[in-house]
Amino acid sequence: MKNEDHHDIPGTYVLDGEHSRKGYHLNMFCMSLNNAENREDLRAGEVTYLSKFPMTDEQRQAVLSRDWLGMLRLGGNIYYIFKLAIFDGLNMQQLGALMSGTDMTEEEFKKMMMNGGRRIDGNRSKSESHNG
Amino acid sequence: MAKIIAGLGTSHIPAIGAAIDHEKTQEAYWKPVFEGIQPVRQWIEELKPDVCIIVYNDHASAFSLEAISTFVIGVAPEFLPADEGYGPRKVPAIKGNSKMAWHIAESLIKDEFDMTIVNEMPVDHGLTVPLSLMYDKPGAWPCEVIPLCVNVIQYPQPTANRCYNLGKSIRRAVESYPEPIRVAIVGTGGLSHQLQGERAGLINSEFDENWLDHLVTKPEELKNVSHIEYLREAGSEGIEMIMWFVMRGALDDRVKQVYRFTHCPVSNTNYGLLALENGS
Ligand SMILES: [Fe+2]
C-alpha cells in the first residue's frame, strides 16, 4: 500500500497550506525581485532591503547566507527563491547542484541530467530513499 | 460558428525561449530539440489557427501568493511579456481576443467553472515559450491568444479530472461563439521534472511515455491519477502535466495523433510535444 501523504516524498518541499503560511513573507520578498528598481535596492544593501519584509530571523539568515535548502525548509517555494538565484546570476543546474544536499558540482549535476536525470528508483518514498 | 481544430501539448521550459532568443538553436545541445519540433511548426503553419487558447501556469510573475486563483482567463486585448527577474523577453506583444475571451468566461461560469477574469496581466515563459516553439521569431505573432492559467504551484492543485472537464466546457464555449473562428488549444508544462530540493533533477521517462500513450487513447482512465502520484512519479514541478488535460478534454474522445516527440533532457526537464486532431 502506497503512502498517500506528500510528506513521504523524499527531498521534496510541497507548497501546501502549512508551508505557504510559514513562507509567505520569504516568498513575497523574492516576488519583489520581479521589479528592476527593487533589484537595484537589494544590490545596494541586502540587510536594509530585507528589513522591509517581516520574515523570521532564520529566514533572513537563510537569504543572506544563500542557504537554498534552508529557504525551502523555511517555507520557500522554488519559483520564488529562483528569483533570488537569478539575481545572483545562477541557472537551474547550478541551483540544482546547490540544493542536492551533497557536495555535487554544477558539472556533476549537468552530467547527471545528460545521463537521463536523477533516477526515480530509490527516490519514490522516504523509506526507500537515497537520492542517488 | 467557432471551432476547435487542433490540440497541442508542449513543455514550456524557459531555456527553450532563451535558445531561440539568443540564436542557439543550431548548437549541438539544441539541434535535436529544434529538429524534433519542426514537424509541428509545419503543421501549425498549414493549420493557421486564428486563435490559440494557451493553457499554462504563471510562475510568480503576474500572480503571487497574495491571491491564488485556481483558473484564470485573460480577457485583455493585449498582453505584454513579464519581467521574471531578468527583464522581459524581447518577443512581440501578444494580441488577445477580448470579445471571444469574455464569451468563453461567461459560458464557463454559467457552466459552473468559476473563473477569475483578468483584464490586466503580464504573461511569462509559460505562455511565450509555447508561442516561440510554434512560430519561431516572427515580427508579430500570427494568431490571437486567449491565456488560461491554472494554479499548479500552491497545493492542492485542481485535479486532472477537473482540468479535463474544464476542457470539455471550453469546447462548448467555443462552439457556441457565433463567429467562424478556428481555434487551437495548447496544453503546456511538464513532462517529468523537479527543480527543488535534494531530489532536484528527477526525471521519469517511463512514466512520461506511458502517460502520453494514455492521454491520447485512454484519457478517461488517466484522469483519475492523483496529485500524490504526479508529485512522486513526475516530480514536484511535473504536476504541470495536469494542464494537458484541459487541451485533451476540449477534443473528441477519439483523436488522431499527428505527431509526438520527447527529448531528454532539456534543461532539467524531459521535454514532450504532442499534436492531436479530432477524429480517428
Ligand atoms: Fe512551468
Side-chain angles (χ1 to χ4, degrees), chain A residues 3-4 8-13 15-16 20 28 31 34 39 72-73 79-80 83 86 92-93 99 113 117-118 120 123-124, chain B residues 59-61 64-65 83-86 153-155 194-201 203 228 232-233 237 240 265 267-268:
Chain A
N3 191 334
E4 282 301 306
D8 173 59
I9 306 171
T12 303
Y13 305 86
L15 185 68
D16 59 10
S20 201
M28 292 308 280
M31 183 74 189
N34 281 343
R39 296 197 286 271
L72 289 178
R73 287 174 183 145
Y79 290 117
Y80 290 82
K83 295 183 186 297
I86 293 171
M92 244 344 153
Q93 285 76 42
M99 287 184 304
M113 294 318 301
R118 194 181 297 281
I120 184 70
N123 282 312
R124 284 189 170 89
Chain B
H59 308 75
S61 305
S64 70
L65 299 177
D83 184 345
E84 300 180 46
Y86 18 42
I153 297 178
Q154 177 68 54
Y155 179 90
Q194 175 151 338
L195 303 175
Q196 57 135 332
E198 294 93 331
R199 213 170 69 136
I203 284 190
I228 303 301
R232 193 193 298 280
E233 296 292 329
E237 282 64 58
E240 290 183 340
S267 187
N268 292 4

Tab-separated table of all heavy atoms in Angstrom, chain A residues 3-4 8-13 15-16 20 28 31 34 39 72-73 79-80 83 86 92-93 99 113 117-118 120 123-124, chain B residues 59-61 64-65 83-86 153-155 194-201 203 228 232-233 237 240 265 267-268:
chain	number	residue	atom	x	y	z
A	3	ASN	N	2.058	5.110	0.395
A	3	ASN	CA	1.777	6.198	1.316
A	3	ASN	C	1.195	7.373	0.536
A	3	ASN	O	1.820	7.891	-0.375
A	3	ASN	CB	3.076	6.590	2.021
A	3	ASN	CG	2.811	7.531	3.172
A	3	ASN	OD1	1.822	8.249	3.183
A	3	ASN	ND2	3.693	7.514	4.150
A	4	GLU	N	0.001	7.814	0.903
A	4	GLU	CA	-0.670	8.892	0.168
A	4	GLU	C	-0.369	10.285	0.749
A	4	GLU	O	-0.987	11.271	0.388
A	4	GLU	CB	-2.181	8.650	0.103
A	4	GLU	CG	-2.587	7.605	-0.945
A	4	GLU	CD	-2.164	7.964	-2.376
A	4	GLU	OE1	-2.498	9.061	-2.849
A	4	GLU	OE2	-1.476	7.144	-3.015
A	8	ASP	N	5.798	12.109	2.533
A	8	ASP	CA	6.579	10.876	2.379
A	8	ASP	C	7.530	10.940	1.182
A	8	ASP	O	8.420	10.105	1.046
A	8	ASP	CB	5.609	9.681	2.219
A	8	ASP	CG	6.347	8.401	1.882
A	8	ASP	OD1	7.209	7.995	2.694
A	8	ASP	OD2	6.098	7.839	0.798
A	9	ILE	N	7.356	11.949	0.314
A	9	ILE	CA	8.228	12.036	-0.869
A	9	ILE	C	9.560	12.650	-0.438
A	9	ILE	O	9.592	13.752	0.110
A	9	ILE	CB	7.570	12.880	-1.986
A	9	ILE	CG1	6.166	12.341	-2.314
A	9	ILE	CG2	8.446	12.879	-3.235
A	9	ILE	CD1	5.358	13.231	-3.229
A	10	PRO	N	10.645	11.969	-0.683
A	10	PRO	CA	11.933	12.452	-0.171
A	10	PRO	C	12.444	13.683	-0.917
A	10	PRO	O	12.157	13.866	-2.104
A	10	PRO	CB	12.874	11.254	-0.422
A	10	PRO	CG	12.239	10.501	-1.542
A	10	PRO	CD	10.758	10.697	-1.405
A	11	GLY	N	13.191	14.536	-0.225
A	11	GLY	CA	13.867	15.673	-0.856
A	11	GLY	C	12.943	16.590	-1.616
A	11	GLY	O	13.321	17.167	-2.625
A	12	THR	N	11.702	16.736	-1.136
A	12	THR	CA	10.669	17.474	-1.869
A	12	THR	C	9.869	18.319	-0.885
A	12	THR	O	9.362	17.791	0.101
A	12	THR	CB	9.733	16.467	-2.588
A	12	THR	OG1	10.534	15.642	-3.436
A	12	THR	CG2	8.665	17.155	-3.413
A	13	TYR	N	9.779	19.614	-1.139
A	13	TYR	CA	9.085	20.529	-0.234
A	13	TYR	C	7.823	21.028	-0.925
A	13	TYR	O	7.873	21.933	-1.751
A	13	TYR	CB	10.030	21.670	0.162
A	13	TYR	CG	11.316	21.114	0.747
A	13	TYR	CD1	12.385	20.753	-0.087
A	13	TYR	CD2	11.429	20.869	2.108
A	13	TYR	CE1	13.534	20.183	0.430
A	13	TYR	CE2	12.579	20.298	2.641
A	13	TYR	CZ	13.629	19.954	1.791
A	13	TYR	OH	14.763	19.377	2.306
A	15	LEU	N	4.455	22.865	-1.551
A	15	LEU	CA	3.854	24.127	-1.088
A	15	LEU	C	2.390	23.879	-0.717
A	15	LEU	O	1.479	24.258	-1.438
A	15	LEU	CB	3.987	25.199	-2.172
A	15	LEU	CG	3.525	26.618	-1.797
A	15	LEU	CD1	4.427	27.253	-0.757
A	15	LEU	CD2	3.465	27.507	-3.037
A	16	ASP	N	2.199	23.233	0.425
A	16	ASP	CA	0.823	23.065	0.907
A	16	ASP	C	0.481	24.261	1.793
A	16	ASP	O	1.288	25.196	1.915
A	16	ASP	CB	0.671	21.719	1.645
A	16	ASP	CG	1.612	21.591	2.836
A	16	ASP	OD1	2.258	22.584	3.227
A	16	ASP	OD2	1.710	20.470	3.382
A	20	SER	N	3.014	27.262	2.911
A	20	SER	CA	2.723	28.570	2.332
A	20	SER	C	2.580	29.616	3.435
A	20	SER	O	3.054	30.753	3.310
A	20	SER	CB	1.426	28.459	1.529
A	20	SER	OG	1.319	29.485	0.592
A	28	MET	N	7.289	36.409	-0.657
A	28	MET	CA	6.906	37.730	-1.170
A	28	MET	C	8.126	38.647	-1.315
A	28	MET	O	8.170	39.495	-2.204
A	28	MET	CB	5.836	38.373	-0.281
A	28	MET	CG	4.492	37.657	-0.345
A	28	MET	SD	3.828	37.392	-2.016
A	28	MET	CE	3.127	39.008	-2.359
A	31	MET	N	9.399	37.576	-4.582
A	31	MET	CA	8.500	38.095	-5.614
A	31	MET	C	8.849	39.539	-5.964
A	31	MET	O	8.741	39.960	-7.119
A	31	MET	CB	7.056	38.001	-5.092
A	31	MET	CG	5.987	38.436	-6.073
A	31	MET	SD	5.753	37.187	-7.361
A	31	MET	CE	4.682	38.093	-8.486
A	34	ASN	N	10.956	40.775	-9.075
A	34	ASN	CA	10.485	40.921	-10.463
A	34	ASN	C	10.635	42.362	-10.931
A	34	ASN	O	10.559	42.642	-12.126
A	34	ASN	CB	8.999	40.541	-10.570
A	34	ASN	CG	8.792	39.039	-10.613
A	34	ASN	OD1	9.723	38.286	-10.869
A	34	ASN	ND2	7.572	38.602	-10.367
A	39	ARG	N	15.443	45.274	-7.463
A	39	ARG	CA	16.704	44.533	-7.595
A	39	ARG	C	17.879	45.464	-7.307
A	39	ARG	O	18.830	45.089	-6.643
A	39	ARG	CB	16.821	43.912	-8.997
A	39	ARG	CG	15.757	42.856	-9.289
A	39	ARG	CD	16.118	41.979	-10.471
A	39	ARG	NE	15.997	42.596	-11.778
A	39	ARG	CZ	14.886	42.595	-12.535
A	39	ARG	NH1	13.771	42.020	-12.090
A	39	ARG	NH2	14.882	43.153	-13.730
A	72	LEU	N	14.050	26.567	1.395
A	72	LEU	CA	12.952	25.630	1.095
A	72	LEU	C	12.331	25.104	2.384
A	72	LEU	O	11.117	25.022	2.511
A	72	LEU	CB	13.458	24.453	0.256
A	72	LEU	CG	13.843	24.729	-1.200
A	72	LEU	CD1	14.366	23.450	-1.850
A	72	LEU	CD2	12.655	25.263	-2.006
A	73	ARG	N	13.183	24.762	3.332
A	73	ARG	CA	12.678	24.182	4.592
A	73	ARG	C	11.887	25.205	5.399
A	73	ARG	O	10.995	24.846	6.163
A	73	ARG	CB	13.846	23.656	5.441
A	73	ARG	CG	14.414	22.380	4.862
A	73	ARG	CD	15.654	21.912	5.587
A	73	ARG	NE	16.187	20.724	4.931
A	73	ARG	CZ	17.482	20.439	4.822
A	73	ARG	NH1	18.383	21.254	5.340
A	73	ARG	NH2	17.863	19.350	4.191
A	79	TYR	N	9.865	28.475	-7.285
A	79	TYR	CA	9.653	29.517	-8.292
A	79	TYR	C	9.929	30.906	-7.709
A	79	TYR	O	10.286	31.821	-8.428
A	79	TYR	CB	8.236	29.458	-8.868
A	79	TYR	CG	8.048	28.244	-9.737
A	79	TYR	CD1	7.141	27.255	-9.405
A	79	TYR	CD2	8.821	28.075	-10.894
A	79	TYR	CE1	6.991	26.130	-10.202
A	79	TYR	CE2	8.676	26.963	-11.686
A	79	TYR	CZ	7.761	25.985	-11.336
A	79	TYR	OH	7.613	24.873	-12.127
A	80	TYR	N	9.740	31.028	-6.402
A	80	TYR	CA	10.031	32.302	-5.735
A	80	TYR	C	11.526	32.421	-5.468
A	80	TYR	O	12.149	33.414	-5.863
A	80	TYR	CB	9.201	32.427	-4.451
A	80	TYR	CG	7.723	32.626	-4.762
A	80	TYR	CD1	6.890	31.546	-5.053
A	80	TYR	CD2	7.191	33.903	-4.820
A	80	TYR	CE1	5.562	31.722	-5.382
A	80	TYR	CE2	5.852	34.098	-5.153
A	80	TYR	CZ	5.047	33.008	-5.432
A	80	TYR	OH	3.723	33.189	-5.773
A	83	LYS	N	14.033	33.437	-8.073
A	83	LYS	CA	14.223	34.855	-8.429
A	83	LYS	C	15.463	35.432	-7.750
A	83	LYS	O	16.147	36.280	-8.309
A	83	LYS	CB	12.976	35.666	-8.082
A	83	LYS	CG	11.811	35.197	-8.931
A	83	LYS	CD	10.549	35.933	-8.760
A	83	LYS	CE	9.443	35.262	-9.561
A	83	LYS	NZ	9.660	35.247	-11.007
A	86	ILE	N	18.333	34.003	-9.748
A	86	ILE	CA	18.520	34.798	-10.967
A	86	ILE	C	19.279	36.085	-10.625
A	86	ILE	O	20.207	36.481	-11.329
A	86	ILE	CB	17.155	35.163	-11.619
A	86	ILE	CG1	16.446	33.920	-12.149
A	86	ILE	CG2	17.345	36.187	-12.747
A	86	ILE	CD1	15.011	34.169	-12.607
A	92	MET	N	19.423	27.095	-13.367
A	92	MET	CA	18.740	25.994	-12.678
A	92	MET	C	19.668	24.807	-12.377
A	92	MET	O	19.436	24.082	-11.418
A	92	MET	CB	17.576	25.520	-13.533
A	92	MET	CG	16.183	25.665	-13.019
A	92	MET	SD	15.801	25.973	-11.313
A	92	MET	CE	14.242	26.799	-11.490
A	93	GLN	N	20.705	24.600	-13.212
A	93	GLN	CA	21.612	23.484	-12.944
A	93	GLN	C	22.506	23.811	-11.747
A	93	GLN	O	22.775	22.950	-10.913
A	93	GLN	CB	22.483	23.164	-14.168
A	93	GLN	CG	21.749	22.448	-15.289
A	93	GLN	CD	20.856	23.364	-16.080
A	93	GLN	OE1	21.230	24.494	-16.390
A	93	GLN	NE2	19.652	22.910	-16.382
A	99	MET	N	21.265	22.560	-4.185
A	99	MET	CA	20.187	22.053	-3.334
A	99	MET	C	20.261	20.548	-3.102
A	99	MET	O	19.422	19.994	-2.395
A	99	MET	CB	18.819	22.390	-3.959
A	99	MET	CG	18.454	23.850	-3.863
A	99	MET	SD	16.793	24.186	-4.496
A	99	MET	CE	16.935	23.510	-6.141
A	113	MET	N	22.050	15.087	-15.559
A	113	MET	CA	20.928	15.398	-16.457
A	113	MET	C	21.156	14.769	-17.831
A	113	MET	O	20.251	14.172	-18.401
A	113	MET	CB	20.715	16.907	-16.600
A	113	MET	CG	20.271	17.653	-15.337
A	113	MET	SD	19.021	16.843	-14.324
A	113	MET	CE	17.678	16.685	-15.493
A	117	GLY	N	18.921	12.225	-16.061
A	117	GLY	CA	18.381	12.831	-14.839
A	117	GLY	C	18.507	11.934	-13.618
A	117	GLY	O	19.026	10.822	-13.705
A	118	ARG	N	18.045	12.462	-12.508
A	118	ARG	CA	18.058	11.677	-11.273
A	118	ARG	C	17.048	10.550	-11.404
A	118	ARG	O	15.926	10.779	-11.853
A	118	ARG	CB	17.697	12.587	-10.083
A	118	ARG	CG	17.999	11.983	-8.725
A	118	ARG	CD	17.604	12.907	-7.581
A	118	ARG	NE	18.337	14.162	-7.554
A	118	ARG	CZ	19.581	14.320	-7.077
A	118	ARG	NH1	20.226	13.284	-6.579
A	118	ARG	NH2	20.176	15.506	-7.110
A	120	ILE	N	14.285	7.692	-10.703
A	120	ILE	CA	13.125	7.593	-9.819
A	120	ILE	C	13.284	6.422	-8.844
A	120	ILE	O	12.867	6.506	-7.688
A	120	ILE	CB	11.796	7.504	-10.633
A	120	ILE	CG1	10.558	7.505	-9.727
A	120	ILE	CG2	11.782	6.307	-11.551
A	120	ILE	CD1	10.264	8.787	-9.037
A	123	ASN	N	13.935	6.801	-5.115
A	123	ASN	CA	13.579	8.173	-4.739
A	123	ASN	C	12.075	8.406	-4.624
A	123	ASN	O	11.616	9.542	-4.635
A	123	ASN	CB	14.158	9.152	-5.755
A	123	ASN	CG	15.643	9.384	-5.513
A	123	ASN	OD1	16.064	9.628	-4.389
A	123	ASN	ND2	16.437	9.298	-6.559
A	124	ARG	N	11.299	7.318	-4.558
A	124	ARG	CA	9.842	7.475	-4.514
A	124	ARG	C	9.323	7.816	-3.127
A	124	ARG	O	8.378	8.564	-2.976
A	124	ARG	CB	9.180	6.179	-4.980
A	124	ARG	CG	9.236	5.987	-6.475
A	124	ARG	CD	8.380	4.802	-6.893
A	124	ARG	NE	8.248	4.783	-8.337
A	124	ARG	CZ	9.088	4.167	-9.146
A	124	ARG	NH1	10.142	3.534	-8.660
A	124	ARG	NH2	8.920	4.206	-10.459
B	59	HIS	N	4.317	31.620	-13.192
B	59	HIS	CA	5.355	31.210	-12.240
B	59	HIS	C	5.769	32.412	-11.389
B	59	HIS	O	6.861	32.939	-11.550
B	59	HIS	CB	6.575	30.663	-12.969
B	59	HIS	CG	6.270	29.589	-13.975
B	59	HIS	ND1	5.709	29.846	-15.202
B	59	HIS	CD2	6.456	28.250	-13.930
B	59	HIS	CE1	5.562	28.707	-15.865
B	59	HIS	NE2	6.005	27.734	-15.115
B	60	ALA	N	4.884	32.865	-10.519
B	60	ALA	CA	5.197	34.024	-9.664
B	60	ALA	C	5.636	35.209	-10.522
B	60	ALA	O	6.650	35.847	-10.259
B	60	ALA	CB	6.273	33.665	-8.640
B	61	SER	N	4.876	35.467	-11.585
B	61	SER	CA	5.176	36.599	-12.464
B	61	SER	C	4.037	37.616	-12.404
B	61	SER	O	4.207	38.714	-11.904
B	61	SER	CB	5.367	36.116	-13.907
B	61	SER	OG	6.348	35.106	-13.963
B	64	SER	N	1.013	36.252	-7.414
B	64	SER	CA	1.866	35.760	-6.327
B	64	SER	C	0.987	35.028	-5.334
B	64	SER	O	-0.172	34.738	-5.601
B	64	SER	CB	2.546	36.942	-5.645
B	64	SER	OG	1.575	37.686	-4.917
B	65	LEU	N	1.540	34.789	-4.152
B	65	LEU	CA	0.757	34.151	-3.092
B	65	LEU	C	-0.274	35.110	-2.499
B	65	LEU	O	-1.117	34.711	-1.709
B	65	LEU	CB	1.699	33.632	-1.989
B	65	LEU	CG	2.712	32.583	-2.454
B	65	LEU	CD1	3.631	32.188	-1.310
B	65	LEU	CD2	2.019	31.335	-3.015
B	83	ASP	N	8.432	40.570	-16.639
B	83	ASP	CA	9.797	40.566	-16.094
B	83	ASP	C	9.858	39.481	-15.024
B	83	ASP	O	9.232	39.608	-13.975
B	83	ASP	CB	10.124	41.936	-15.496
B	83	ASP	CG	11.575	42.032	-15.007
B	83	ASP	OD1	12.237	40.982	-14.870
B	83	ASP	OD2	12.041	43.160	-14.760
B	84	GLU	N	10.583	38.412	-15.310
B	84	GLU	CA	10.636	37.283	-14.379
B	84	GLU	C	11.875	37.353	-13.492
B	84	GLU	O	12.211	36.403	-12.816
B	84	GLU	CB	10.591	35.969	-15.154
B	84	GLU	CG	9.324	35.827	-15.976
B	84	GLU	CD	9.254	34.531	-16.768
B	84	GLU	OE1	9.536	33.466	-16.216
B	84	GLU	OE2	8.935	34.606	-17.978
B	85	GLY	N	12.580	38.467	-13.575
B	85	GLY	CA	13.786	38.619	-12.752
B	85	GLY	C	14.977	39.045	-13.576
B	85	GLY	O	15.968	39.522	-13.057
B	86	TYR	N	14.899	38.853	-14.896
B	86	TYR	CA	15.984	39.310	-15.756
B	86	TYR	C	15.500	40.204	-16.894
B	86	TYR	O	16.040	40.179	-17.988
B	86	TYR	CB	16.868	38.196	-16.320
B	86	TYR	CG	16.351	36.776	-16.320
B	86	TYR	CD1	15.045	36.461	-16.669
B	86	TYR	CD2	17.218	35.741	-15.983
B	86	TYR	CE1	14.602	35.146	-16.655
B	86	TYR	CE2	16.788	34.429	-15.974
B	86	TYR	CZ	15.480	34.139	-16.307
B	86	TYR	OH	15.049	32.838	-16.288
B	153	ILE	N	1.087	25.571	-8.615
B	153	ILE	CA	2.180	25.784	-7.655
B	153	ILE	C	1.710	25.559	-6.218
B	153	ILE	O	2.338	24.843	-5.452
B	153	ILE	CB	2.769	27.201	-7.836
B	153	ILE	CG1	3.379	27.324	-9.240
B	153	ILE	CG2	3.818	27.491	-6.762
B	153	ILE	CD1	3.943	28.695	-9.559
B	154	GLN	N	0.601	26.183	-5.854
B	154	GLN	CA	0.079	26.006	-4.492
B	154	GLN	C	-0.723	24.706	-4.428
B	154	GLN	O	-1.669	24.508	-5.192
B	154	GLN	CB	-0.813	27.198	-4.114
B	154	GLN	CG	-1.473	27.091	-2.750
B	154	GLN	CD	-0.476	27.180	-1.593
B	154	GLN	OE1	0.293	28.132	-1.525
B	154	GLN	NE2	-0.487	26.194	-0.712
B	155	TYR	N	-0.325	23.810	-3.519
B	155	TYR	CA	-1.059	22.576	-3.292
B	155	TYR	C	-2.290	22.869	-2.438
B	155	TYR	O	-2.177	23.654	-1.512
B	155	TYR	CB	-0.132	21.581	-2.582
B	155	TYR	CG	-0.762	20.259	-2.262
B	155	TYR	CD1	-0.701	19.202	-3.161
B	155	TYR	CD2	-1.443	20.071	-1.049
B	155	TYR	CE1	-1.295	17.989	-2.858
B	155	TYR	CE2	-2.046	18.862	-0.759
B	155	TYR	CZ	-1.967	17.823	-1.672
B	155	TYR	OH	-2.557	16.626	-1.377
B	194	GLN	N	11.798	17.938	-11.605
B	194	GLN	CA	11.769	18.501	-10.258
B	194	GLN	C	12.903	19.496	-10.150
B	194	GLN	O	14.056	19.166	-10.398
B	194	GLN	CB	11.894	17.395	-9.198
B	194	GLN	CG	11.982	17.979	-7.791
B	194	GLN	CD	11.421	17.078	-6.718
B	194	GLN	OE1	10.602	16.187	-6.997
B	194	GLN	NE2	11.826	17.284	-5.483
B	195	LEU	N	12.552	20.734	-9.824
B	195	LEU	CA	13.554	21.805	-9.772
B	195	LEU	C	14.105	21.993	-8.366
B	195	LEU	O	15.140	22.602	-8.186
B	195	LEU	CB	12.926	23.116	-10.268
B	195	LEU	CG	12.327	23.063	-11.676
B	195	LEU	CD1	11.637	24.383	-12.005
B	195	LEU	CD2	13.385	22.746	-12.721
B	196	GLN	N	13.406	21.512	-7.364
B	196	GLN	CA	13.701	21.856	-5.972
B	196	GLN	C	14.202	20.691	-5.136
B	196	GLN	O	13.911	19.547	-5.414
B	196	GLN	CB	12.415	22.375	-5.345
B	196	GLN	CG	11.295	21.346	-5.443
B	196	GLN	CD	10.504	21.187	-4.159
B	196	GLN	OE1	11.009	21.405	-3.076
B	196	GLN	NE2	9.248	20.775	-4.296
B	197	GLY	N	14.915	21.054	-4.071
B	197	GLY	CA	15.233	20.113	-3.009
B	197	GLY	C	16.300	19.098	-3.388
B	197	GLY	O	16.905	19.144	-4.449
B	198	GLU	N	16.502	18.148	-2.473
B	198	GLU	CA	17.542	17.137	-2.683
B	198	GLU	C	17.206	16.220	-3.858
B	198	GLU	O	18.084	15.523	-4.360
B	198	GLU	CB	17.710	16.295	-1.412
B	198	GLU	CG	18.250	17.066	-0.212
B	198	GLU	CD	17.140	17.632	0.671
B	198	GLU	OE1	16.036	17.938	0.154
B	198	GLU	OE2	17.384	17.782	1.884
B	199	ARG	N	15.949	16.201	-4.263
B	199	ARG	CA	15.546	15.337	-5.384
B	199	ARG	C	15.591	16.107	-6.715
B	199	ARG	O	15.146	15.598	-7.753
B	199	ARG	CB	14.141	14.770	-5.107
B	199	ARG	CG	13.930	13.371	-5.665
B	199	ARG	CD	12.621	12.755	-5.152
B	199	ARG	NE	11.443	13.415	-5.688
B	199	ARG	CZ	10.352	12.786	-6.156
B	199	ARG	NH1	10.300	11.459	-6.158
B	199	ARG	NH2	9.318	13.453	-6.591
B	200	ALA	N	16.110	17.334	-6.716
B	200	ALA	CA	16.189	18.135	-7.949
B	200	ALA	C	16.876	17.341	-9.056
B	200	ALA	O	17.851	16.638	-8.800
B	200	ALA	CB	16.954	19.426	-7.686
B	201	GLY	N	16.355	17.474	-10.253
B	201	GLY	CA	16.942	16.757	-11.394
B	201	GLY	C	16.212	15.468	-11.712
B	201	GLY	O	16.530	14.773	-12.683
B	203	ILE	N	13.928	12.804	-13.227
B	203	ILE	CA	13.217	12.592	-14.498
B	203	ILE	C	12.713	11.157	-14.505
B	203	ILE	O	13.383	10.255	-14.013
B	203	ILE	CB	14.143	12.885	-15.700
B	203	ILE	CG1	14.285	14.403	-15.857
B	203	ILE	CG2	13.611	12.253	-16.984
B	203	ILE	CD1	14.964	14.882	-17.098
B	228	ILE	N	-0.680	13.100	-5.627
B	228	ILE	CA	0.495	12.493	-4.982
B	228	ILE	C	1.275	11.653	-5.985
B	228	ILE	O	2.498	11.663	-6.003
B	228	ILE	CB	0.060	11.602	-3.780
B	228	ILE	CG1	-0.741	12.426	-2.769
B	228	ILE	CG2	1.246	10.941	-3.112
B	228	ILE	CD1	-0.008	13.610	-2.183
B	232	ARG	N	5.059	12.407	-6.831
B	232	ARG	CA	6.018	11.358	-6.545
B	232	ARG	C	6.720	10.889	-7.821
B	232	ARG	O	7.935	10.819	-7.879
B	232	ARG	CB	5.286	10.163	-5.905
B	232	ARG	CG	6.197	9.125	-5.280
B	232	ARG	CD	5.440	7.843	-4.951
B	232	ARG	NE	4.369	7.994	-3.971
B	232	ARG	CZ	4.561	8.044	-2.647
B	232	ARG	NH1	5.764	7.954	-2.140
B	232	ARG	NH2	3.525	8.170	-1.839
B	233	GLU	N	5.930	10.565	-8.853
B	233	GLU	CA	6.473	9.914	-10.048
B	233	GLU	C	7.042	10.896	-11.077
B	233	GLU	O	7.995	10.588	-11.773
B	233	GLU	CB	5.391	9.056	-10.722
B	233	GLU	CG	4.898	7.882	-9.892
B	233	GLU	CD	5.949	6.794	-9.691
B	233	GLU	OE1	6.802	6.613	-10.584
B	233	GLU	OE2	5.921	6.128	-8.635
B	237	GLU	N	7.492	19.567	-9.822
B	237	GLU	CA	7.087	20.505	-10.876
B	237	GLU	C	6.444	19.767	-12.063
B	237	GLU	O	5.796	20.383	-12.913
B	237	GLU	CB	8.280	21.350	-11.327
B	237	GLU	CG	8.615	22.476	-10.348
B	237	GLU	CD	9.064	21.990	-8.965
B	237	GLU	OE1	10.052	21.232	-8.863
B	237	GLU	OE2	8.398	22.349	-7.981
B	240	GLU	N	2.671	19.953	-13.422
B	240	GLU	CA	2.189	20.804	-14.519
B	240	GLU	C	1.467	19.988	-15.602
B	240	GLU	O	0.663	20.527	-16.359
B	240	GLU	CB	3.367	21.518	-15.196
B	240	GLU	CG	4.010	22.588	-14.352
B	240	GLU	CD	5.130	23.312	-15.103
B	240	GLU	OE1	5.665	22.783	-16.101
B	240	GLU	OE2	5.471	24.411	-14.679
B	265	PRO	N	17.683	15.345	-21.789
B	265	PRO	CA	16.957	16.382	-21.065
B	265	PRO	C	16.939	17.668	-21.867
B	265	PRO	O	17.753	17.869	-22.764
B	265	PRO	CB	17.857	16.592	-19.838
B	265	PRO	CG	19.250	16.449	-20.393
B	265	PRO	CD	19.142	15.426	-21.521
B	267	SER	N	17.268	21.320	-20.333
B	267	SER	CA	17.485	21.933	-19.021
B	267	SER	C	17.316	20.816	-17.981
B	267	SER	O	17.980	19.791	-18.093
B	267	SER	CB	16.525	23.106	-18.833
B	267	SER	OG	16.816	23.814	-17.654
B	268	ASN	N	16.392	20.962	-17.036
B	268	ASN	CA	16.220	19.921	-16.011
B	268	ASN	C	14.965	19.091	-16.254
B	268	ASN	O	14.419	18.514	-15.326
B	268	ASN	CB	16.104	20.575	-14.618
B	268	ASN	CG	17.401	21.211	-14.172
B	268	ASN	OD1	18.377	21.236	-14.920
B	268	ASN	ND2	17.429	21.726	-12.966
